[in-house]
Each structure stands twice: as structure tokens, then as C-alpha cells.
Amino acid sequence: MKAQHVIERRQTRSIRVGRVTVGGDAPISVQTMTNTDTENVEATVAQIRAAMKAGADMVRVSTPTIAAAEAFGKIKKEVGYVPLIADVHFNYKCALKAAEMGADCLRINPGNIGSDRKVEEVVACARHHGIPIRIGVNAGSLEGDLQEKYGEPNADALVESALRHIEILKRHNFEDFKVSLKASEVFMTVQAYRKLSKLIDQPLHLGITEAGGLRNGSVKSAIGLGMILADGIGDTLRVSLAADPVEEVKVGWDILKSLHLRSRGINLVACPSCSRQNFDVVKVVNELESRFEEIEESIDLAVIGCVVNGPGESREAAIGVAGGYPNSIYVDGRIAHKAHNDVLVDTLEKLVREKLAARAAAKASA
């Protein structure tokens, strides 16, 4: 189904995080963060590769110690082209070491790195290696004087904190940065991003921090990030879940796909099912999702269990099925096949793969 609304994105500067452009006219990138012990190189590499397979454009890795920063270098060599962001707090030497080990971006808060001399060293290092910095402001770690000034975290406190960190980088003539303003409260986060987006032209990294578990956190993130993205704000995002990082990537992509900001893989339109269904919709959808996990090419597939909404949804999709006796399978808006329940999944998979192969062949010959 065609988009009824096109989001006009805020124009920003662009920065390069490894091979990925962030900001400007670049697509909104999807990030996640490893939750392994960084010094466990094998486990961290495995997690990064799984996130890449799910569609992560870049991955953040915590580097709390020099040993972790040194492990970061080994990890970088193993995972290859995917950009890695070194997450550093307090110890400026970890930032210097991570940059030396091949980090594509440094996630720091200049205000908690220490003296101006230390900040100057980190900025000089980032400039030398040609890598950007992400300023990460979090409602849970605001400066003490801002907590006292505002009484409790709010959007104004987040913005004021960000502007302080920004001023430090600008004082060192460093403009190659992006900023995040995260809170676990949806409206606070949305208001903060709306305010800051009017004050700077650097790209913004979006997130609802500490959003919760897989279900609750996905809902909260979809609502919060959806509100911000619908305003045209945001150049890269991370869905923060107490779950496998792969799930963060999947939810991030689902949010972007829902807003027609990016497309990847199967866009599966499916009814919630009811007693009118002629086949087990839930079972069919689960099986199809499992079979299509590796597909990156975008394609619309409608799976509707009866003839009430089935024909309409199926006509709008590249391929669709409307439940019946037997089921009607639509290709490019017309009924092309009939399939009984026992062969329905196999038939749909075959048609989807044939459609994608035909598209690839046409693209190759163009």
C-alpha cells in the first residue's frame, strides 16, 4: 500500500561513521549496543555479527577500561566493515586507546572526561583519526547543579546539559559530532529533541533510554521515536531494550518501515485472525517470518484469513492471500493461483522468492 504521507526531514550537517553517513540526506541508520563483556572478544564478535545479519548499520561497544579498549581493536579486525562506536565514560585514556584501535566514533560526554587538557587530547585524537564524537546526554546522569536547578530531570535540563557539552567541543573548534538526549519518559525525550533540533544543525541520535523489556520497551520506543521521527527529526537511532541486541535492530527497522522512512525485508501485512479464517493465520505468519529472515530486499506480502478484507489487502501487495475454499493468491493485484492449506506456506514462499529473483535479474540487466 502506498504511503499517504511523506515526512520532510530536518536538514543537518553530515558526518561519517566509518562507511555510514549520518545526517544530511543519508538514510536514518539503525544502531544497537553489545551487552557482552568486551574483553570476551569471541562473544562480542558473535553478537556483532548477529546484529549485522539483522540489519544493524553500526554497533556501539562499551570500553570502560584500557583492557576493553585493547580488546576493541581485536573485535574491529574480526567484524570488518561494520562501523563500531566506542562507548567511553570518565577515563579519557580509554577514548584515546579506542581511537588508536580503530574506533569509527567516540561516544563521550566531554563534561565528565575531566580537565580541559584531557578533553583537548580526546578532541585532537578524534581529529587526527578523522572520527566523529557522539555527545550522549541521559536523564539519569545529569550534572548535579542541573538537578538542583530544575529539581528533577526535564526537557530543559537535558537541552542545557547538551549545550554545555556542545560548547566544549566548539571551543576546541570541533564540529564533527552528533548528539543524543535520552530519558525513559517519552514526553520528556520528545520535547528535548524538539527543542534542541531548533538550536543546532548537527545530526541527532534518537533513543528512549532504559525503555524496558522486549514488549514494553518496543511499545514505548515505537511511540516516542515515532513522534520524533514524524516531525522529521532524527538521523540515527537505537531502540534500548532489556533483550537480545538483535531484537533492538529488528524493532528499529520496524519503526522506520512503519513510517516509510526506510525499507528492508518482508513487509508482512497480516490480519489478527478470527473465526472467519480459512487457515491458521498466526501459524502461517510465524512460519513465513522464519523462512524469510535472511531476505533484505523489500517486498509487501499480505496474509489475510478470509474474504472480508483479504481481496483488498492482497490487491495492494506484491503478493497476497485471501482465505477461501481454496485460498486465493494474488500476484501484482490479480488472482494468479489457488492453494489449499497444506501447500499454502510453500506456495507463498516460492512466489516471493521468484518475485525477488525477477527483480534482481531486471536490475542486473538495466
Side-chain angles (χ1 to χ4, degrees), residues 153-173:
N154 60 29
D156 289 330
L158 289 171
V159 171
E160 185 170 341
S161 177
L163 292 175
R164 285 184 181 182
H165 296 302
I166 290 169
E167 194 278 328
I168 293 172
L169 293 186
K170 286 181 174 288
R171 194 166 67 237
H172 291 284
N173 298 312

Side-chain angles (χ1 to χ4, degrees), residues 104-126:
D104 297 292
C105 179
L106 297 175
R107 190 278 193 205
I108 65 169
N109 282 350
N112 74 21
I113 286 296
S115 67
D116 194 63
R117 178 189 63 80
K118 294 177 180 178
V119 174
E120 185 175 9
E121 281 196 53
V122 173
V123 171
C125 181

Side-chain angles (χ1 to χ4, degrees), residues 138-357:
N138 193 299
S141 56
L142 285 170
E143 296 91 323
D145 65 312
L146 291 180
Q147 294 182 43
E148 184 175 346
K149 175 180 178 179
Y150 290 99
E152 61 182 15
N154 60 29
D156 289 330
L158 289 171
V159 171
E160 185 170 341
S161 177
L163 292 175
R164 285 184 181 182
H165 296 302
I166 290 169
E167 194 278 328
I168 293 172
L169 293 186
K170 286 181 174 288
R171 194 166 67 237
H172 291 284
N173 298 312
F174 193 86
E175 299 277 353
D176 200 16
F177 63 87
K178 54 183 175 175
V179 184
S180 65
L181 301 157
K182 297 185 181 181
S184 58
E185 207 284 320
V186 167
F187 288 103
M188 184 193 309
T189 306
V190 172
Q191 290 166 11
Y193 277 109
R194 286 173 174 169
K195 288 174 182 287
L196 187 64
S197 68
K198 298 175 182 178
L199 301 176
I200 66 171
D201 63 356
Q202 275 77 15
L204 295 176
H205 169 84
L206 306 185
I208 305 295
T209 195
E210 291 115 24
L214 180 56
R215 188 192 67 184
N216 180 58
S218 297
V219 171
K220 188 184 290 187
S221 296
I223 293 170
L225 299 185
M227 292 169 70
I228 302 167
L229 290 166
D231 284 344
I233 299 169
D235 304 283
T236 179
L237 64 82
R238 179 203 173 185
V239 175
S240 298
L241 302 175
D244 187 327
V246 166
E247 299 299 333
E248 295 186 348
V249 177
K250 290 179 179 179
V251 175
W253 270 103
D254 286 342
I255 291 171
L256 294 179
K257 286 160 65 174
S258 296
L259 294 170
H260 303 288
L261 287 166
R262 283 186 81 180
S263 28
R264 180 182 190 274
I266 304 295
N267 177 33
L268 218 163
V269 177
C271 68
S273 78
C274 68
S275 61
R276 291 193 305 267
Q277 66 182 357
N278 183 55
F279 58 87
D280 189 333
V281 173
V282 174
K283 182 178 179 181
V284 167
V285 167
N286 287 338
E287 179 63 26
L288 289 170
E289 285 182 333
S290 175
R291 295 191 187 193
F292 292 145
E293 272 191 348
E294 89 289 355
I295 290 178
E296 297 183 9
E297 182 74 21
S298 179
I299 186 170
D300 293 335
L301 171 63
V303 179
I304 312 297
C306 76
V307 296
V308 176
N309 296 321
E313 292 286 1
S314 296
R315 279 194 294 266
E316 294 294 329
I319 295 169
V321 56
Y325 301 94
N327 306 296
S328 298
I329 297 180
Y330 292 70
V331 177
D332 296 328
R334 296 185 177 183
I335 296 176
H337 304 275
K338 294 285 187 176
H340 292 285
N341 294 358
D342 59 339
V343 296
L344 180 58
V345 172
D346 290 339
T347 302
L348 290 172
E349 180 185 12
K350 177 174 178 290
L351 291 171
V352 166
R353 294 191 184 279
E354 287 177 350
K355 171 70 73 174
L356 292 176

